[in-house]
Amino acid sequence: MEVTRLSLWVLVALAAVLQPARPQTSKPNIVFILADDLGWNDLSFHGSDEIPTPNIDALAFNGVVLNNLYTQPVCTPSRVALMTGKYPIKLGMQGPPTYGAEPNGLPLSEKLLPEYLRELGYTTRAIGKWHLGFYKPAYTPTRRGFDSHFGYYTGYVSYYDYILQDVYQNFGEFQGFDMRRNDTIAWDVAGKYATDVFTDEAVRLIKEQPADRPLFMYLAHVAVHTGNRGKNLEAPQSEINKFNHILDPNRRTYAAMVSKLDESVGRVVEALAEKKILQNTIIVFMSDNGSPSFDSSGRNYGSNVGVTANWGSNFPYRGIKNTLWEGGVKSASFIWAPQFQENPRVSKQLMHITDWLPTLYSAAGGNPGFLPKNLDGYDQWTSLTLNLPSLRNFVLLNIDEKQRYAGILKDNWKLIVGSTANGSLDGFFGATRPRTPYNASAVLYSPTGRALARLSNSLPFAAGGSPLSGVRDLLAMRYESTIRCNPSAEGPRARSPCPSGEACLFDLASDPCETNNVAKKYVTVSGQLYEALKYYRRLLVPQTNRPFDPAANPARFNNTWSSWMLY
């Protein structure tokens, strides 16, 4: 009898202790924040003294700064690579971005990242930019694995009116509103600032997320891509006023746009902390490609190849968006997770945007062995968590068979064949001068910094400790994150070290700014990389960019960009 009573008492006591107040998922939540056209030199964790980004810096310095992560040179191909884990050349998506009136999209035969995660039990949310096709409803986000989408289908919109203006040869200008909640036009957001609107949605969804289901949130900002002609750069005036130390008015407004993006990151982290799920969340932050940049006179160079004007900076790297120079394809990025907070670092592990699909699938508890064998991405989760060497040593940057240029990496070696825009984008753009001293305390006491400090006290490895709290340690990590080299004094006028489009080989370990062509000195390495390019060329599917369709005119759909082919 006594044994029975004791056993019952133990069972009741255990039930009271072990039963959680709310069911909790063991799978990590994943928040993927994708900035648009953000330059390497636009974030203060990379050494910029022009634009403070304390919330972004706090996450970066408590996580793993990915100083060797590559993307595609423009936006649609980068999103294709992210969502499929495949090089765009295998899908015919390696060329220019998809235009609003182009009947094209990411092939429906492809299974996307949110579909894989949904099979693992995730709620999947998309916020912001899609840019992977919408001419038929089947190509839109809620038909491609996302439970919901709040955002726009096209390549960009203006920040207050959510209008895209496109000019098409033979058809003239198409102009329409592009903002929706799933399939419903979201007219109510007009007049509200886009970065705030997307952040509000992210915070709302985090608050409403059931505790017993893991969340995958894809937050793809319009920031800091520019809008339409006449209102390229937009930000609240109160934010612009914070950057009077920047003399160029365009760069000043751009800085305010970056600052609002940083504020967004802080609000998302705060929402995760208030929901008490930050301790079980992975956060990835990156840019889809480099910035289309400017020279010291404020002249924009992106327009040379149809890239919308932008006043970002990839300095000290060579080149801009739409090129294969480091300034076009090296992404400002990091990953944060509670386990990285124990040992934050700057990583030189070679990664490519295709790696995120298998890496996040593995982090979510999926078995990478079940993924298709024809993926180009590598599961880097173990390499990141244990600080092991990268699983990849090759990265195909791109092969554009129409523009006749290509690029590939092997370890620290980079081969480029051909050029973009006849070499007019080969210089060093967006040089900036230090304007304000770096404020490490602002990083520590930012909303993100405070949230991570509170979190650290609840983590087993940091009992009684705190995250990277010492200013000296923070500055040391910032120093390591900063790229130093001596680019050409010619600046934007600097020509390629490989004139006439001949092959260029660079040793990025000793020459990160690509100033010294060593192709003739290391003939064996050049030959090996060229043979690798030839291998990938045999796998290339011709570009599928299709003639623009006048039936896409928003005037046919109450002046909104909408699917115009139902079947």
Side-chain angles (χ1 to χ4, degrees), residues 326-340:
E326 296 289 273
V329 293
K330 181 69 79 72
S331 175
S333 55
F334 60 81
I335 181 171
W336 178 91
Q339 56 266 50
F340 299 142

mmCIF file of all heavy atoms in Angstrom, residues 326-340:
data_model
loop_
_atom_site.group_PDB
_atom_site.id
_atom_site.type_symbol
_atom_site.label_atom_id
_atom_site.label_comp_id
_atom_site.label_asym_id
_atom_site.label_seq_id
_atom_site.Cartn_x
_atom_site.Cartn_y
_atom_site.Cartn_z
ATOM 1 N N GLU A 326 34.262 40.398 -57.142
ATOM 2 C CA GLU A 326 33.859 40.171 -55.756
ATOM 3 C C GLU A 326 32.759 41.130 -55.314
ATOM 4 O O GLU A 326 31.871 40.771 -54.537
ATOM 5 C CB GLU A 326 35.063 40.294 -54.816
ATOM 6 C CG GLU A 326 36.150 39.247 -55.024
ATOM 7 C CD GLU A 326 35.730 37.865 -54.566
ATOM 8 O OE1 GLU A 326 35.892 37.541 -53.373
ATOM 9 O OE2 GLU A 326 35.249 37.101 -55.436
ATOM 10 N N GLY A 327 32.793 42.363 -55.807
ATOM 11 C CA GLY A 327 31.763 43.329 -55.451
ATOM 12 C C GLY A 327 30.381 42.962 -55.932
ATOM 13 O O GLY A 327 29.383 43.469 -55.406
ATOM 14 N N GLY A 328 30.287 42.079 -56.917
ATOM 15 C CA GLY A 328 28.987 41.667 -57.435
ATOM 16 C C GLY A 328 28.444 40.399 -56.823
ATOM 17 O O GLY A 328 27.221 40.223 -56.738
ATOM 18 N N VAL A 329 29.341 39.493 -56.393
ATOM 19 C CA VAL A 329 28.887 38.161 -55.979
ATOM 20 C C VAL A 329 29.273 37.770 -54.557
ATOM 21 O O VAL A 329 28.914 36.680 -54.097
ATOM 22 C CB VAL A 329 29.398 37.075 -56.962
ATOM 23 C CG1 VAL A 329 28.747 37.225 -58.326
ATOM 24 C CG2 VAL A 329 30.925 37.123 -57.086
ATOM 25 N N LYS A 330 29.982 38.625 -53.843
ATOM 26 C CA LYS A 330 30.321 38.321 -52.437
ATOM 27 C C LYS A 330 29.242 38.939 -51.556
ATOM 28 O O LYS A 330 29.006 40.145 -51.600
ATOM 29 C CB LYS A 330 31.705 38.868 -52.090
ATOM 30 C CG LYS A 330 32.180 38.591 -50.670
ATOM 31 C CD LYS A 330 32.474 37.124 -50.438
ATOM 32 C CE LYS A 330 33.803 36.662 -50.986
ATOM 33 N NZ LYS A 330 34.977 37.161 -50.232
ATOM 34 N N SER A 331 28.572 38.111 -50.763
ATOM 35 C CA SER A 331 27.423 38.565 -49.988
ATOM 36 C C SER A 331 27.811 38.960 -48.574
ATOM 37 O O SER A 331 28.529 38.228 -47.881
ATOM 38 C CB SER A 331 26.364 37.459 -49.916
ATOM 39 O OG SER A 331 25.286 37.825 -49.082
ATOM 40 N N ALA A 332 27.297 40.108 -48.140
ATOM 41 C CA ALA A 332 27.409 40.508 -46.729
ATOM 42 C C ALA A 332 26.441 39.642 -45.934
ATOM 43 O O ALA A 332 25.225 39.768 -46.075
ATOM 44 C CB ALA A 332 27.055 41.986 -46.575
ATOM 45 N N SER A 333 26.956 38.740 -45.100
ATOM 46 C CA SER A 333 26.086 37.709 -44.534
ATOM 47 C C SER A 333 26.624 37.153 -43.225
ATOM 48 O O SER A 333 27.814 37.264 -42.918
ATOM 49 C CB SER A 333 25.919 36.560 -45.541
ATOM 50 O OG SER A 333 27.188 36.054 -45.926
ATOM 51 N N PHE A 334 25.718 36.537 -42.462
ATOM 52 C CA PHE A 334 26.092 35.816 -41.247
ATOM 53 C C PHE A 334 24.956 34.868 -40.878
ATOM 54 O O PHE A 334 23.840 34.950 -41.396
ATOM 55 C CB PHE A 334 26.376 36.781 -40.084
ATOM 56 C CG PHE A 334 25.211 37.650 -39.691
ATOM 57 C CD1 PHE A 334 24.198 37.178 -38.872
ATOM 58 C CD2 PHE A 334 25.127 38.957 -40.143
ATOM 59 C CE1 PHE A 334 23.123 37.967 -38.520
ATOM 60 C CE2 PHE A 334 24.058 39.765 -39.788
ATOM 61 C CZ PHE A 334 23.053 39.268 -38.980
ATOM 62 N N ILE A 335 25.254 33.959 -39.967
ATOM 63 C CA ILE A 335 24.249 33.078 -39.387
ATOM 64 C C ILE A 335 24.378 33.162 -37.870
ATOM 65 O O ILE A 335 25.490 33.177 -37.327
ATOM 66 C CB ILE A 335 24.392 31.617 -39.888
ATOM 67 C CG1 ILE A 335 23.296 30.725 -39.275
ATOM 68 C CG2 ILE A 335 25.786 31.067 -39.614
ATOM 69 C CD1 ILE A 335 23.243 29.326 -39.887
ATOM 70 N N TRP A 336 23.225 33.258 -37.207
ATOM 71 C CA TRP A 336 23.203 33.271 -35.747
ATOM 72 C C TRP A 336 22.341 32.118 -35.254
ATOM 73 O O TRP A 336 21.294 31.799 -35.829
ATOM 74 C CB TRP A 336 22.629 34.591 -35.208
ATOM 75 C CG TRP A 336 22.545 34.605 -33.702
ATOM 76 C CD1 TRP A 336 23.486 35.037 -32.832
ATOM 77 C CD2 TRP A 336 21.464 34.103 -32.897
ATOM 78 N NE1 TRP A 336 23.074 34.843 -31.541
ATOM 79 C CE2 TRP A 336 21.827 34.267 -31.554
ATOM 80 C CE3 TRP A 336 20.223 33.516 -33.191
ATOM 81 C CZ2 TRP A 336 20.998 33.880 -30.494
ATOM 82 C CZ3 TRP A 336 19.398 33.123 -32.142
ATOM 83 C CH2 TRP A 336 19.785 33.327 -30.809
ATOM 84 N N ALA A 337 22.788 31.492 -34.208
ATOM 85 C CA ALA A 337 22.009 30.486 -33.486
ATOM 86 C C ALA A 337 22.567 30.448 -32.070
ATOM 87 O O ALA A 337 23.709 30.861 -31.831
ATOM 88 C CB ALA A 337 22.109 29.111 -34.150
ATOM 89 N N PRO A 338 21.775 29.987 -31.097
ATOM 90 C CA PRO A 338 22.268 29.989 -29.705
ATOM 91 C C PRO A 338 23.609 29.291 -29.528
ATOM 92 O O PRO A 338 24.462 29.767 -28.768
ATOM 93 C CB PRO A 338 21.145 29.267 -28.947
ATOM 94 C CG PRO A 338 19.919 29.531 -29.757
ATOM 95 C CD PRO A 338 20.378 29.524 -31.186
ATOM 96 N N GLN A 339 23.820 28.180 -30.256
ATOM 97 C CA GLN A 339 25.085 27.465 -30.088
ATOM 98 C C GLN A 339 26.274 28.257 -30.621
ATOM 99 O O GLN A 339 27.402 28.072 -30.159
ATOM 100 C CB GLN A 339 25.033 26.079 -30.742
ATOM 101 C CG GLN A 339 24.660 26.065 -32.218
ATOM 102 C CD GLN A 339 23.188 25.844 -32.433
ATOM 103 O OE1 GLN A 339 22.356 26.511 -31.832
ATOM 104 N NE2 GLN A 339 22.857 24.894 -33.294
ATOM 105 N N PHE A 340 26.043 29.147 -31.585
ATOM 106 C CA PHE A 340 27.146 29.962 -32.092
ATOM 107 C C PHE A 340 27.502 31.078 -31.120
ATOM 108 O O PHE A 340 28.609 31.626 -31.181
ATOM 109 C CB PHE A 340 26.785 30.561 -33.453
ATOM 110 C CG PHE A 340 26.498 29.544 -34.514
ATOM 111 C CD1 PHE A 340 25.497 29.746 -35.449
ATOM 112 C CD2 PHE A 340 27.225 28.368 -34.584
ATOM 113 C CE1 PHE A 340 25.225 28.818 -36.426
ATOM 114 C CE2 PHE A 340 26.970 27.417 -35.558
ATOM 115 C CZ PHE A 340 25.960 27.639 -36.484
#
